């Protein structure tokens, strides 16, 4: 009704006809995510400035707070808190929302776009033509927080943090003799686009104090708060921006802080030769996405700053280096970082920052186990001796699962030692040891020492070689419960992998209790996921992929089944997914499996026997979670083997 009323106001003003309004309303049925105003503009019936003018004069503009409530981005309590902060600190309501970390830049920009009936765009990946700089003055662009992003004929598109008034837009359009289309973009992306277009850069005197415990609101704020000068033309002059520059300190701190706030597992710093931007990507819920593009002049300074924080050799660019950072020293966030550098083309260095999952272990009942898997795994970890393996690729949650298991049996009467690289999760009651291969303090050396310390349970971070595996198996045969991880694709494959490493099959089969293979699949966002009835073909495909009877012959259950699919909202940044769940494959070492191990049978023979014993494969477990509405089949296909 509100959409139609706006259309009626436009007709009253003589800006459109009733037929044009009806055409826009009909088109909205095809494009429901577009407002009537946007469609009228796209059809050429109305200009954005005219629409903005009418809405302002008629008081039909929605309040930003109302939009945030309607889109379920904030509750009334937080909105009230933001208003109090804005009044107390004499800043805008929008600025207060960012400062209090209630919204990120993208969420705020999308809400502003909705408020003003404008399009929201990401401009960090756009190639902006240099000729656009002559239409909008650099100082005006910086003052108004806008940047030209495209020109088609006599129409100029301007990306803005917040819209100019209709009068300002008309005056600006008249002065440059062009029609202006305003769009909304995040402030940090606009500032970085200004950096590229106008060749402005940050320059501030280095401060003797390296610590910068205050985190800026945005990268755009960091860069826009500095003076303007021409960028150097050759790489040697680029190096004049050093790692001690206060801007670099703030920039690196902001990147890491945003990664922590967005629950990223990794940050990838990727400089390129020449005058290409430095690309910063973050891995969230297992998927990489571009976080920012930073002007090329920082391609030496950012890696150097990170290496200083990790106590690495900044002069060494030819070899990979590894290090750690306790970020609490540099910002008010208690998180440990693992740093890895790698020399790349053009005498540059890539840096990967891994945010370690420090803190309390995940509760055992939140790991996503099926009833069968939970019972068997719980029974195995309560054995007085034996070997338990958790396997999967890097980043599949193996360490999280092991610590959750250990937390379930961590009692004062049980002595538990762990050897890890690095120590990611800490628990009271555990004696945790950080291995250090540089001084010969390797996993085998630590394990030998553990056996002289009268342990009950030993957790080994990873079986990297035959020596570690042999000592772990010997320990499990002499009265200790040993838990460890291995990089293999499936539970059955793990057995063959260890045998090929030279492990004695008789000792191994006697010690092994179970092998848990796992993956992490993204879960659907609870705020926007959509339920639907699958087609008969979809159900047939599910049963075919499951490889067995999925519904147990229950035709009624099959006909009434509902699944869920991703939609996208502000809470999940438009992806439709938020969070992850474990997908598991648990092989119990039964007497039959032990016999197959001793005979060194092939992987497929072991797998078939494990399935006959009741094992649910990774893909089958994933499909069961699809039926529960936790995720969708596309995500399971992505992470699970057939």
């Amino acid at each position: 009704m509100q959409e139609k009323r706006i259309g009626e106001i436009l007709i009253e003003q003589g800006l459109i006809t009733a037929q044009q309004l009806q055409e826009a309303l009909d088109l909205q049925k095809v494009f429901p995510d577009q407002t009537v105003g946007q469609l009228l503009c796209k059809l050429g019936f109305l200009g954005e400035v005219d629409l903005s003018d009418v809405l302002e004069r008629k008081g039909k503009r929605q309040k930003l707070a109302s939009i945030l409530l309607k889109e379920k981005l904030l509750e009334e309590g937080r909105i009230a808190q933001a208003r109090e902060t804005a009044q107390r600190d004499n800043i805008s309501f929008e600025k207060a929302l960012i400062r209090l970390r209630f919204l990120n830049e993208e969420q705020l920009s999308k809400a502003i776009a909705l408020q003003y009936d404008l399009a929201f765009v990401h401009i960090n990946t756009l190639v902006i033509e240099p000729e656009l700089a002559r239409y909008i003055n650099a100082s005006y662009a910086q003052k108004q927080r806008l940047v030209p992003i495209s020109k088609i004929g006599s129409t100029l598109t301007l990306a803005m943090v917040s819209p100019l008034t209709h009068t300002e837009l008309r005056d600006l359009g008249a002065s440059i003799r062009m029609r202006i289309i305003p769009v909304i973009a995040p402030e940090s992306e606009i500032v970085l686009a200004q950096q590229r277009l106008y060749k402005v850069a940050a320059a501030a005197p280095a401060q003797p104090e390296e610590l910068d415990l205050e985190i800026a609101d945005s990268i755009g704020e960091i860069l826009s708060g500095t003076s303007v000068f021409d960028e150097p033309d050759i790489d040697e002059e680029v190096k004049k921006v050093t790692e001690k520059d206060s801007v670099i300190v703030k920039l690196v701190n902001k990147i890491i802080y945003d990664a922590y706030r967005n629950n990223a597992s990794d940050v990838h710093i990727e400089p390129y030769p020449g005058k290409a931007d430095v690309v910063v990507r973050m891995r969230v819920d297992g998927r990489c996405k571009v976080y920012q593009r930073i002007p090329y002049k920082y391609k030496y300074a950012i890696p150097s700053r990170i290496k200083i924080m990790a106590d690495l050799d900044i002069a060494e660019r030819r070899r990979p280096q590894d290090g750690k950072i306790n970020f609490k020293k540099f910002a008010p966030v208690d998180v440990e970082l693992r740093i890895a550098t790698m020399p790349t083309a053009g005498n540059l260095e890539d840096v990967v920052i891994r945010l370690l999952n420090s803190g309390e272990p995940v509760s055992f009942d939140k790991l996503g186990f099926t009833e069968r898997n939970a019972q068997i795994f719980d029974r195995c970890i309560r054995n007085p001796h034996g070997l338990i393996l958790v396997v999967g690729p890097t980043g599949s949650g193996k360490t999280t699962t092991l610590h959750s298991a250990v937390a379930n049996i961590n009692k004062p009467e049980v002595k538990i030692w762990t050897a890890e690289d690095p120590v990611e999760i800490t628990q009271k009651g555990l004696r945790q040891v950080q291995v250090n291969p540089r001084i010969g303090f390797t996993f085998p050396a630590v394990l030998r020492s553990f056996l002289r310390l009268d342990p009950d349970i030993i957790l080994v971070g990873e079986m990297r070689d035959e020596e570690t595996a042999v000592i772990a198996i010997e320990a499990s045969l002499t009265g200790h419960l040993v838990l460890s991880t291995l990089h293999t694709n499936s539970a059955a494959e793990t057995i063959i992998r260890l045998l090929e490493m030279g492990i004695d099959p008789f000792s191994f089969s006697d010690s092994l209790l179970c092998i848990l293979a796992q993956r992490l699949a993204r879960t659907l966002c609870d705020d926007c996921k959509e339920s639907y009835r699958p087609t008969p073909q979809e159900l047939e495909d599910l049963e075919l992929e499951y490889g067995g009877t999925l519904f147990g012959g229950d035709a009624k259950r099959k006909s009434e089944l509902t699944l869920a699919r991703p939609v996208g909202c502000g809470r999940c940044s438009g992806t439709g997914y938020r969070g992850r769940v474990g997908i598991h494959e648990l092989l119990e070492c039964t007497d039959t499996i032990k016999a197959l191990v001793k005979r060194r049978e092939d992987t497929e023979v072991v797998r078939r026997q494990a399935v006959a014993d009741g094992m649910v494969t990774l893909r089958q477990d994933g499909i069961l979670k699809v039926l529960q509405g936790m995720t969708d089949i596309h995500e399971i296909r992505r992470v699970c083997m057939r």
Side-chain angles (χ1 to χ4, degrees), residues 290-325:
V290 174
Y291 159 71
Q292 287 289 356
R293 293 180 183 271
I294 297 174
Y296 78 96
K297 74 185 299 296
Y298 299 107
K299 63 185 176 183
Y300 293 103
I302 292 177
S304 294
R305 171 60 189 169
I306 295 171
K307 287 162 74 174
I308 287 174
M309 295 168 72
D311 293 324
L312 300 178
D313 183 1
I314 64 170
E316 179 57 76
R317 298 179 182 272
R318 300 166 300 172
R319 298 177 181 175
Q321 297 187 65
D322 297 310
K324 295 174 185 175
I325 298 173

Side-chain angles (χ1 to χ4, degrees), residues 1-7 9 60-62 70:
M1 287 297 293
Q2 184 180 11
E3 293 276 292
K4 191 171 181 181
R5 178 56 187 153
I6 291 172
I9 293 171
K60 297 299 180 182
R61 179 80 64 209
Q62 290 188 74
K70 183 179 178 182

Side-chain angles (χ1 to χ4, degrees), residues 321-365:
Q321 297 187 65
D322 297 310
K324 295 174 185 175
I325 298 173
N326 182 0
F327 193 55
K328 193 175 182 180
K329 296 179 181 178
F330 305 95
V333 175
D334 188 8
V335 60
E336 188 173 349
L337 313 172
R338 186 163 65 183
I339 309 300
T341 70
M342 177 61 67
T344 53
N347 194 30
L348 298 170
E349 286 181 293
D350 272 34
V351 181
V352 176
I353 305 171
R354 185 171 189 188
L355 286 76
L356 303 183
N357 184 23
S358 58
E360 296 295 321
V362 176
S363 173
F364 187 78
D365 58 5

Side-chain angles (χ1 to χ4, degrees), residues 12-30:
E12 291 171 6
Q13 297 292 315
L15 294 172
I16 62 171
T17 66
Q19 184 179 353
Q20 289 172 334
L21 173 60
Q22 188 58 49
E23 191 173 336
L25 290 171
D26 292 341
L27 190 60
Q28 192 182 39
K29 297 174 182 177
V30 182

Side-chain angles (χ1 to χ4, degrees), residues 1-60:
M1 287 297 293
Q2 184 180 11
E3 293 276 292
K4 191 171 181 181
R5 178 56 187 153
I6 291 172
E8 291 170 352
I9 293 171
L10 293 170
I11 294 173
E12 291 171 6
Q13 297 292 315
L15 294 172
I16 62 171
T17 66
Q19 184 179 353
Q20 289 172 334
L21 173 60
Q22 188 58 49
E23 191 173 336
L25 290 171
D26 292 341
L27 190 60
Q28 192 182 39
K29 297 174 182 177
V30 182
F31 301 101
D33 57 328
Q34 299 285 307
T35 66
V36 167
Q38 289 173 332
L39 292 172
L40 285 168
C41 294
K42 289 184 177 180
L43 289 168
F45 299 153
L46 185 70
E48 283 86 349
V49 176
D50 296 324
L51 177 62
S52 178
D53 190 7
V54 170
L55 291 174
E56 292 289 357
R57 285 190 282 112
K58 289 295 180 180
K60 297 299 180 182

